[in-house]
Amino acid sequence: MLGLMQDWPLTVDRILDHASAWHGDREVVTRSVRGPIVRTTYREIHGRAKKLSNVLLQLGIAPGDRVATLAWNSARHLEAWYAIMGIGAVCHTLNPRLFADQLCYIINHAGDRVILADKTFLPMLAENRARMPLVERFIVFADADDMEDVSLKGALCSEVLIAGASADCAWGGFDEHSACGLCYTSGTTGNPKGVLYSHRSNFLQALITLPRDVMSLSVTDTVLLAVPMFHANAWGLAFSGVAVGAKMVMPGPQMDGASVLELLESEKVTFSAGVPTVWQILLAHLQASGARPTTLRRIVTGGSAMPEALVRTFHEDYGIEMIHAWGMTESSASGTSSIATPDIAARPLDERIPYLLKQGRPLLGVEMRLTDDDDAPVPHDGTTKGRLGIRGPFIAREYYDAGNGSILDDDGFFDTGDICTIDPAGYMQITDRAKDVIKSGGEWISSIEIENAAAGHPKAEMTAVIGIAHPKWDERPLLLVKLRAGESATAEEFLQFLSGKIAKWCMPDEVRFVDDIPLGATGKIDKKLIRQRFEGHILPTAGAASSA
Amino acid sequence: MLGLMQDWPLTVDRILDHASAWHGDREVVTRSVRGPIVRTTYREIHGRAKKLSNVLLQLGIAPGDRVATLAWNSARHLEAWYAIMGIGAVCHTLNPRLFADQLCYIINHAGDRVILADKTFLPMLAENRARMPLVERFIVFADADDMEDVSLKGALCSEVLIAGASADCAWGGFDEHSACGLCYTSGTTGNPKGVLYSHRSNFLQALITLPRDVMSLSVTDTVLLAVPMFHANAWGLAFSGVAVGAKMVMPGPQMDGASVLELLESEKVTFSAGVPTVWQILLAHLQASGARPTTLRRIVTGGSAMPEALVRTFHEDYGIEMIHAWGMTESSASGTSSIATPDIAARPLDERIPYLLKQGRPLLGVEMRLTDDDDAPVPHDGTTKGRLGIRGPFIAREYYDAGNGSILDDDGFFDTGDICTIDPAGYMQITDRAKDVIKSGGEWISSIEIENAAAGHPKAEMTAVIGIAHPKWDERPLLLVKLRAGESATAEEFLQFLSGKIAKWCMPDEVRFVDDIPLGATGKIDKKLIRQRFEGHILPTAGAASSA
């Protein structure tokens, strides 16, 4: 027997409909690519997005067609999302930090028919135009008087198109499982893979991340969207922030400390979300300038490890709560939050910090499972490591057009590829990527744990650890250190430094000083490349061990 | 093209699964029907609910079967909800305040196969046993040693059944649109009508009411569930409170001021929700005893008009925020919240109070429409009245087995039967029930507005207003006043009192003093009965008008 409630599909166009109808005057403020601050409202965005929908329809865009954006965070970018999604097309967010090769691969793989882009990226698009044959049109986010120097042949001007379009456009009316957004993972192994979000998954992610124990958003908040809209679905904030009618501040390309602080203060920002790097840059600026944010109360961060000093300084020196939320492209956005349970919330900061640094506790709608190599569950004791599997309504079940079908195991869990612990209070902590973990004598050694410990050495600028084949132990750790400019050090110095900080059996078998530790497109250490560089490398302990 | 996200139906069993797995130690504290405080946890509730599911399966309960509860708020009642819903049966919450006739009608109409009941209600069930022939079994929420005086023939003991059952029971796995809960409206016109909730509607209602601008619930909260679980789906709190892992306090039958205060203090309650009457009773106790709640920070209330003094006193004297949320059985629970927008939040309390007294702004997922008698939209100017229609995923589309199909208009809106205004800030205010509004010379006069104004007269204990047919104006208001014991007054005194408080053309044509103003089962004035009593009544102005 089915319930007798109304049929009201969870399509994201309804989120902007609601914001326009009930929070119509709330502002969206953008630092534009040209520089000046531009102010608009949800009501205006709604009307302009409807016009842009009509533009796309006139260009022949049909439900399911992919329309890409290559843009910084701006009101125009937000309008484009809703314009595309509202008519059932798929908004494919391109990461401009990818190399041209990868971008072309992704654009072709997705079959993008139209690309909407900031002027910043036109040279790259012009240069590679011939390599994206499926793209029919480019629309430039620009005013009419800003098109003169556009060299991309046939590029259309967004403002001219919008000015000529009708705001009368029906949105929604399709299955809530319809595709809505497409975002490719950075692809540390093999080609980038596309995660195809549905209206339902985006809508649910927004709802589930709104409450106090996650993003804690209210209509009274002003949100600085520091996470790029091309990064893992903007952590859902382009939906959740709009859903509550929060004032939204879009920083555009200028993410230096002074520019971010200026927006925080001039717009009275209360909440922001972004990767730790953004906050480290801001913190450096605050410390150098002596300035203090006066309205910012809460930061959600994630995407890479949280340095303790960062969390501690924001809490202690600036009274700003810093919450760790973990997620991945495949989980739409946040899957956990490090918000304190009542027991932990009651403790002093020093005791809370270890929990704040962990990835956090799963949100409702995120089932988590930790398993060992035999797929048996491992205890939640905070020390036993296992592979993390996740299951839920906003987690991917297969990649777009990847030809390999389901990526789930028999129980429907997606393998995150992360090696984690879960402590008795339910906090999950990623200790390593499964492909980076060093399997030594049946134990799992976390490469990240050694890296982080070694990175604390005052002479270290950056550190990386990979596993090297070993005749006795299967694998043993090799520590690479890039020293700060002008420094010199010995391996012994680093081993001494690590002693007591990591378990004895986790100590690197070798320390090598290198000039360069390569980073991937998303700023993470490119271990795949490091492993290639050290292919066939023999550890000094290998001979001793084999002869032992 | 559909998205490629996991299939994870929104079934409410997953909410308790989550609470048990990640908030397993959080307590649910009950003041039991027998008297003592009983403590349990989400983990224990989960295990016991699974056992109770097996009991129901053994009794032959199949998906879609109706299983009723007739009980106060308690952990056992909560277990029963999840036990019933988890196996796809329908939890029918019976309101013990209904008359036996109505209860029997509802039980038979629903086709309840099993009733789980508190001991309190066994005499009524025993007395009317023959009138509910479809009921196969009664299960009493009781310990084994508390069954001796149970006179209801064949009644089973819940604790004996649970003790003998396995906790191994698969929940969920069905369509999220499956029926899940059934609640009958009090039926001011005709027979009571059943609203059949789905798993999806309950899950979404919980998610949408969690954020800061609505219930604002967190794992760090302790929730006193003052709203009965048989009242409009317990305003979703049996799902939303569990979803965040809040500590839950179940007051059982004792809702007097001293008992409520005792629980607030002993359990360190931070949040509660219930009808205004509960808070008026509590306030009277606080004022008489001089006691102060020390941890309570926030109350959500609704279900009837909010007296200004109540809101003001809780804010000013006790520092407790009182939020008005409006909903109805047909809307699952809350459809609005009176939480302040940034503009209003910035004002002093005196200026905020008029907004706090309104029903509030619509939640995401509640589309609101105000229309006049010609179905044309009326302006949101705060004064023009219209009929309120609502549309959304947790709003009813038809009544259970009512034989009349859809209750929606052509645009899919449900007519709430309320006459409302919406102000420019988006706050909806109910001015009357459509059937009670007095249509006088083409204008709509709110019966409630006159009642409330007259109720402010120091000699009035209770007031009621109905429309009486009038030869010139169609209808004109008749004010009924029940005076406080020992008081006497003249009609002129009341008209004088009203003068300046309501518009001149809304002044009652007659004031009558009565000994009794009848109330319905939910404590609201029974205007249907009053209209019957005054059928054919001729207003003193009727003759004058007809001869004018």
Side-chain angles (χ1 to χ4, degrees):
Chain A
M1 181 162 66
L2 299 184
L4 294 171
M5 306 309 280
Q6 293 184 17
D7 180 32
W8 197 91
L10 302 174
T11 58
V12 300
D13 50 287
R14 294 179 185 276
I15 294 176
L16 186 58
D17 283 349
H18 181 81
S20 172
W22 302 101
H23 308 287
D25 294 332
R26 291 291 276 162
E27 284 184 314
V28 178
V29 180
T30 303
R31 190 194 296 279
S32 63
V33 174
R34 288 178 99 169
I37 300 293
V38 179
R39 315 185 88 83
T40 179
T41 64
Y42 286 123
R43 190 176 295 112
E44 287 172 12
I45 284 179
H46 187 257
R48 285 170 48 90
K50 290 238 164 183
K51 290 182 181 184
L52 188 53
S53 287
N54 275 325
V55 168
L56 295 171
L57 290 170
Q58 280 155 21
L59 292 177
I61 295 301
D65 283 353
R66 275 76 63 211
V67 176
T69 63
L70 185 62
W72 304 113
N73 291 2
S74 70
R76 284 172 172 167
H77 197 174
L78 190 66
E79 286 162 6
W81 276 35
Y82 284 95
I84 297 165
M85 297 176 187
I87 56 171
V90 178
C91 179
H92 176 199
T93 46
L94 296 168
N95 182 346
R97 296 191 186 127
L98 295 177
F99 300 115
D101 278 358
Q102 287 174 296
L103 267 179
C104 291
Y105 171 85
I106 286 173
I107 290 165
N108 291 329
H109 185 268
D112 297 328
R113 292 186 58 194
V114 172
I115 297 179
L116 296 107
D118 277 336
K119 278 190 70 176
T120 326
F121 309 114
L122 296 185
M124 191 284 293
L125 290 172
E127 193 179 326
N128 294 279
R129 177 66 184 96
R131 298 168 67 195
M132 32 187 100
L134 300 174
V135 178
E136 298 161 28
R137 293 283 180 182
F138 296 90
I139 298 175
V140 187
F141 289 125
D143 298 321
D145 66 357
D146 197 24
M147 290 294 288
E148 285 162 28
D149 56 345
V150 167
S151 61
L152 183 64
K153 238 172 52 185
L156 304 169
C157 169
S158 66
E159 291 303 318
V160 170
L161 294 171
I162 287 172
S166 155
D168 187 11
C169 180
W171 278 350
F174 35 75
D175 187 334
E176 70 187 32
H177 292 90
S178 297
C180 166
L182 178 61
C183 186
Y184 280 71
T185 62
S186 46
T188 49
T189 53
N191 280 319
K193 294 180 287 281
V195 177
L196 192 64
Y197 305 117
S198 67
H199 281 265
R200 172 184 168 95
S201 66
N202 278 340
F203 204 117
L204 288 176
Q205 234 276 334
L207 292 182
I208 280 174
T209 53
L210 277 177
R212 257 167 66 205
D213 293 344
V214 195
M215 298 281 182
S216 190
L217 289 180
S218 156
V219 64
T220 54
D221 275 310
T222 296
V223 174
L224 177 78
L225 196 67
V227 54
M229 292 174 70
F230 51 78
H231 183 178
N233 214 12
W235 300 358
L237 281 159
F239 305 114
S240 56
V242 178
V244 295
K247 174 177 163 184
M248 197 86 82
V249 181
M250 303 296 211
Q254 284 174 243
M255 294 301 292
D256 60 286
S259 299
V260 168
L261 178 65
E262 189 192 43
L263 280 181
L264 291 177
E265 291 304 293
S266 63
E267 300 303 329
K268 300 186 168 50
V269 170
T270 58
F271 172 92
S272 189
V275 294
T277 313
V278 171
W279 310 118
Q280 286 191 294
I281 292 169
L282 175 65
L283 184 58
H285 174 75
L286 296 178
Q287 290 174 332
S289 66
R292 296 180 65 84
T294 54
T295 57
L296 185 63
R297 289 291 161 263
R298 195 169 222 243
I299 289 169
V300 168
T301 189
S304 62
M306 285 255 278
E308 176 174 337
L310 186 68
V311 182
R312 184 180 286 281
T313 309
F314 270 111
H315 275 88
E316 286 185 341
D317 296 356
Y318 297 93
I320 295 169
E321 188 183 15
M322 191 164 231
I323 300 298
H324 199 180
W326 164 87
M328 54 201 308
T329 305
E330 287 89 341
S331 71
S332 297
S334 312
T336 65
S337 156
S338 71
I339 294 270
T341 58
D343 168 45
I344 290 160
R347 303 187 196 174
L349 183 65
D350 278 349
E351 290 180 37
R352 276 188 286 133
I353 285 224
Y355 293 99
L356 291 173
L357 295 177
K358 295 189 181 193
Q359 271 70 20
R361 292 162 48 82
L363 312 185
L364 175 66
V366 178
E367 294 182 81
M368 281 194 165
R369 203 181 57 178
L370 272 197
T371 48
D372 63 18
D373 272 345
D374 300 322
D375 290 333
V378 309
H380 292 191
D381 58 11
T383 56
T384 310
K385 296 183 175 96
R387 286 178 80 101
L388 179 69
I390 53 176
R391 194 165 71 170
F394 39 82
I395 295 160
R397 71 162 193 267
E398 58 183 277
Y399 292 112
Y400 176 66
D401 198 19
N404 53 1
S406 171
I407 50 176
L408 309 182
D409 68 16
D410 291 346
D411 297 321
F413 281 84
F414 167 71
D415 179 355
T416 61
D418 285 317
I419 303 296
C420 308
T421 60
I422 296 179
D423 68 26
Y427 287 75
M428 182 272 283
Q429 182 167 31
I430 297 178
T431 60
D432 214 343
R433 292 290 295 166
K435 61 184 187 308
D436 297 333
V437 79
I438 298 153
K439 298 192 176 180
S440 170
E443 297 285 349
W444 291 358
I445 297 176
S446 162
S447 64
I448 293 173
E449 202 181 312
I450 310 174
E451 273 163 21
N452 287 347
H457 192 291
K459 291 183 181 172
E461 181 175 319
M462 197 181 290
T463 56
V465 170
I466 59 167
I468 297 288
H470 189 281
K472 180 168 177 190
W473 302 105
D474 285 344
E475 286 186 328
R476 291 295 302 161
L478 164 67
L479 168 63
L480 306 181
V481 177
K482 183 185 172 191
L483 292 169
R484 287 181 195 274
E487 295 286 358
S488 66
T490 64
E492 193 49 43
E493 247 179 284
F494 269 83
L495 292 174
Q496 203 76 46
F497 180 78
L498 288 175
S499 174
K501 292 193 175 66
I502 57 173
K504 218 167 168 186
W505 56 275
C506 297
M507 289 291 276
D509 280 26
E510 187 179 2
V511 180
R512 305 260 303 203
F513 296 96
V514 293
D515 297 334
D516 165 49
I517 290 180
L519 299 181
T522 57
K524 291 178 187 165
I525 295 170
D526 187 347
K527 295 209 180 169
K528 191 175 145 196
L529 184 55
I530 297 177
R531 274 191 287 266
Q532 282 171 10
R533 289 183 185 171
F534 282 87
E535 213 180 321
H537 180 74
I538 293 171
L539 291 166
T541 54
S546 61
S547 64
Chain B
M1 181 161 65
L2 299 183
L4 294 171
M5 307 310 280
Q6 294 184 15
D7 180 31
W8 198 90
L10 302 174
T11 59
V12 300
D13 50 286
R14 295 179 185 275
I15 293 176
L16 186 57
D17 283 349
H18 182 81
S20 173
W22 302 101
H23 307 289
D25 295 331
R26 290 291 276 163
E27 284 186 314
V28 177
V29 180
T30 302
R31 188 194 296 280
S32 62
V33 175
R34 289 177 98 169
I37 300 293
V38 179
R39 314 186 87 82
T40 179
T41 63
Y42 286 123
R43 190 177 294 110
E44 285 172 15
I45 285 179
H46 187 257
R48 284 170 49 89
K50 290 238 165 185
K51 290 181 180 184
L52 188 54
S53 286
N54 275 325
V55 168
L56 295 171
L57 290 171
Q58 281 155 22
L59 292 176
I61 296 301
D65 283 353
R66 275 75 63 209
V67 176
T69 63
L70 185 62
W72 305 112
N73 290 3
S74 70
R76 283 172 173 168
H77 197 174
L78 191 66
E79 285 163 8
W81 275 35
Y82 283 96
I84 297 165
M85 297 176 188
I87 57 171
V90 179
C91 179
H92 175 198
T93 47
L94 296 168
N95 182 346
R97 296 191 186 127
L98 294 178
F99 301 115
D101 278 359
Q102 287 175 296
L103 267 178
C104 291
Y105 170 85
I106 286 174
I107 289 165
N108 291 329
H109 186 268
D112 297 328
R113 292 185 58 193
V114 172
I115 296 179
L116 297 107
D118 277 336
K119 278 190 71 177
T120 326
F121 308 114
L122 297 184
M124 190 284 294
L125 290 173
E127 194 179 326
N128 295 281
R129 177 65 185 95
R131 299 168 68 196
M132 33 186 99
L134 300 173
V135 178
E136 299 160 29
R137 294 282 181 183
F138 295 89
I139 298 174
V140 187
F141 288 125
D143 298 322
D145 67 358
D146 197 23
M147 290 293 289
E148 285 162 28
D149 56 345
V150 167
S151 61
L152 182 65
K153 239 172 53 184
L156 305 169
C157 169
S158 67
E159 289 305 317
V160 170
L161 294 171
I162 287 172
S166 156
D168 187 10
C169 179
W171 277 352
F174 36 74
D175 187 331
E176 70 187 31
H177 292 91
S178 297
C180 165
L182 178 62
C183 186
Y184 280 72
T185 61
S186 47
T188 49
T189 53
N191 280 317
K193 294 179 286 281
V195 177
L196 192 64
Y197 305 115
S198 66
H199 281 264
R200 172 185 167 96
S201 66
N202 278 339
F203 203 118
L204 288 176
Q205 233 276 333
L207 292 182
I208 279 173
T209 53
L210 277 177
R212 258 166 66 206
D213 293 343
V214 196
M215 298 282 184
S216 190
L217 289 179
S218 155
V219 64
T220 55
D221 275 310
T222 297
V223 174
L224 177 77
L225 196 67
V227 55
M229 292 173 71
F230 51 77
H231 183 179
N233 213 12
W235 300 358
L237 281 159
F239 305 114
S240 56
V242 178
V244 295
K247 174 176 162 183
M248 197 86 80
V249 181
M250 303 294 212
Q254 284 174 242
M255 293 301 292
D256 61 284
S259 299
V260 168
L261 179 66
E262 191 193 42
L263 280 182
L264 290 176
E265 290 304 293
S266 62
E267 300 303 329
K268 298 187 169 52
V269 169
T270 58
F271 172 92
S272 188
V275 293
T277 312
V278 171
W279 310 118
Q280 286 191 293
I281 292 169
L282 175 65
L283 184 58
H285 174 75
L286 296 179
Q287 289 173 332
S289 66
R292 296 180 66 85
T294 54
T295 56
L296 184 64
R297 290 289 162 262
R298 195 168 223 246
I299 289 170
V300 168
T301 190
S304 61
M306 285 254 278
E308 176 174 337
L310 186 69
V311 182
R312 184 180 287 281
T313 309
F314 270 110
H315 275 88
E316 285 185 343
D317 295 357
Y318 297 94
I320 295 169
E321 188 183 15
M322 191 163 233
I323 299 298
H324 200 181
W326 163 86
M328 53 200 308
T329 305
E330 288 89 340
S331 71
S332 297
S334 313
T336 64
S337 155
S338 71
I339 293 269
T341 57
D343 169 45
I344 290 160
R347 303 186 196 175
L349 183 64
D350 278 347
E351 290 179 38
R352 277 188 286 134
I353 286 223
Y355 293 99
L356 291 173
L357 295 176
K358 296 190 180 193
Q359 272 68 22
R361 292 161 48 84
L363 312 184
L364 175 67
V366 179
E367 294 181 82
M368 280 194 166
R369 202 183 56 177
L370 273 198
T371 49
D372 63 18
D373 272 345
D374 301 322
D375 291 333
V378 309
H380 293 191
D381 57 12
T383 57
T384 310
K385 297 183 175 96
R387 285 179 81 102
L388 180 68
I390 53 176
R391 194 166 70 172
F394 39 81
I395 295 161
R397 71 162 192 266
E398 58 183 278
Y399 293 112
Y400 176 65
D401 198 18
N404 54 1
S406 171
I407 50 176
L408 309 183
D409 68 16
D410 291 346
D411 296 321
F413 281 85
F414 167 71
D415 179 355
T416 62
D418 286 316
I419 303 296
C420 308
T421 60
I422 296 179
D423 68 25
Y427 287 76
M428 182 272 283
Q429 182 168 31
I430 298 178
T431 61
D432 214 342
R433 292 289 296 166
K435 60 185 186 309
D436 297 333
V437 80
I438 298 154
K439 298 192 175 179
S440 171
E443 297 285 347
W444 292 359
I445 298 177
S446 162
S447 64
I448 293 173
E449 201 180 311
I450 310 175
E451 274 163 20
N452 287 348
H457 192 290
K459 291 184 182 172
E461 181 176 318
M462 197 180 291
T463 54
V465 169
I466 59 167
I468 297 287
H470 190 281
K472 179 169 176 190
W473 302 106
D474 286 345
E475 287 186 326
R476 290 295 303 162
L478 164 67
L479 168 63
L480 305 181
V481 177
K482 185 186 172 190
L483 293 168
R484 289 181 193 274
E487 295 286 358
S488 66
T490 63
E492 193 48 43
E493 246 179 285
F494 269 83
L495 292 174
Q496 203 77 45
F497 180 78
L498 287 175
S499 173
K501 292 193 175 67
I502 57 173
K504 218 167 171 186
W505 56 276
C506 298
M507 288 294 276
D509 279 26
E510 187 180 1
V511 181
R512 307 257 307 200
F513 297 98
V514 292
D515 296 334
D516 164 51
I517 288 179
L519 299 181
T522 56
K524 291 178 188 165
I525 295 170
D526 187 346
K527 296 208 179 168
K528 191 174 145 197
L529 184 55
I530 297 177
R531 273 191 287 265
Q532 281 171 10
R533 289 183 185 171
F534 283 88
E535 212 179 321
H537 180 74
I538 293 170
L539 291 166
T541 53
S546 61
S547 65

